[in-house]
Amino acid sequence: DAGITQSPRHKVTETGTPVTLRCHQTENHRYMYWYRQDPGHGLRLIHYSYGVKDTDKGEVSDGYSVSRSKTEDFLLTLESATSSQTSVYFCAISEDEYNEQFFGPGTRLTVL
Amino acid sequence: GEDVEQSLFLSVREGDSSVINCTYTDSSSTYLYWYKQEPGAGLQLLTYIFSNMDMKQDQRLTVLLNKKDKHLSLRIADTQTGDSAIYFCAESPGNTGKLIFGQGTTLQVKP
């Protein structure tokens, strides 16, 4: 398995609180991605990074911010969580934009 | 716009063939992908096809690509109970690294 870990694996929080999810890789891959998975929607890209401090928005970026200060870590922050952000969040990595994406195990987030 | 469509559910008997279908909209994708998700797990790449190919076979898996109709299919021969999972097709518009996924097809394999 590709060396990708996500933390926490499960989190329950309340509306209006800030939440940060962490993705950590040991593969030294350049690209990292955050997706959310919801029933009926498949996976949708939130943000991605193509290098340290280089990030860009995906199709559902509103309400989310990201940071990548080191190659191995990609953080996803919900500044003020809402119930619509209850979802399963997956991190993925790839060597470059043409190569296979490897997925982490996911974080289940519940916003009450 | 970019859109990938799949049927949501397929049920087959063990030993039968399964065919999962997908339609996509963006003709600029160099690769089209099939991912598998087992319960409680992340996605694993099953196979992919280069856009200038019509067919790719990999053991029990056969991918067919009809570029004219923007239709992709995944055939699993001799389907086993261990094949029960959600299958996602995905395209990569403009080869940007961003994947657009379908909704996923849940494959149920009955013994």
Side-chain angles (χ1 to χ4, degrees), chain A residues 1 9 31 33 35 37 40-43 45 48 57-59 90 97-105, chain B residues 8 30-31 33 35 37 40-45 86 88 92 95-104:
Chain A
D1 288 344
R9 293 294 314 279
Y31 278 69
Y33 310 82
Y35 293 89
Q37 183 178 21
H41 289 280
L43 275 79
L45 182 66
Y48 70 104
K57 294 179 180 179
E59 62 179 307
F90 286 99
E97 63 267 42
Y98 304 110
N99 280 8
E100 172 185 356
Q101 291 186 21
F102 298 93
F103 283 78
Chain B
L8 296 182
T30 300
Y31 294 99
Y33 304 88
Y35 279 84
Q37 184 182 34
L43 278 68
Q44 290 182 296
L45 182 66
I86 304 175
F88 293 92
S92 180
N95 302 313
T96 58
K98 294 187 280 188
L99 292 179
I100 306 296
F101 286 87
Q103 309 96 309

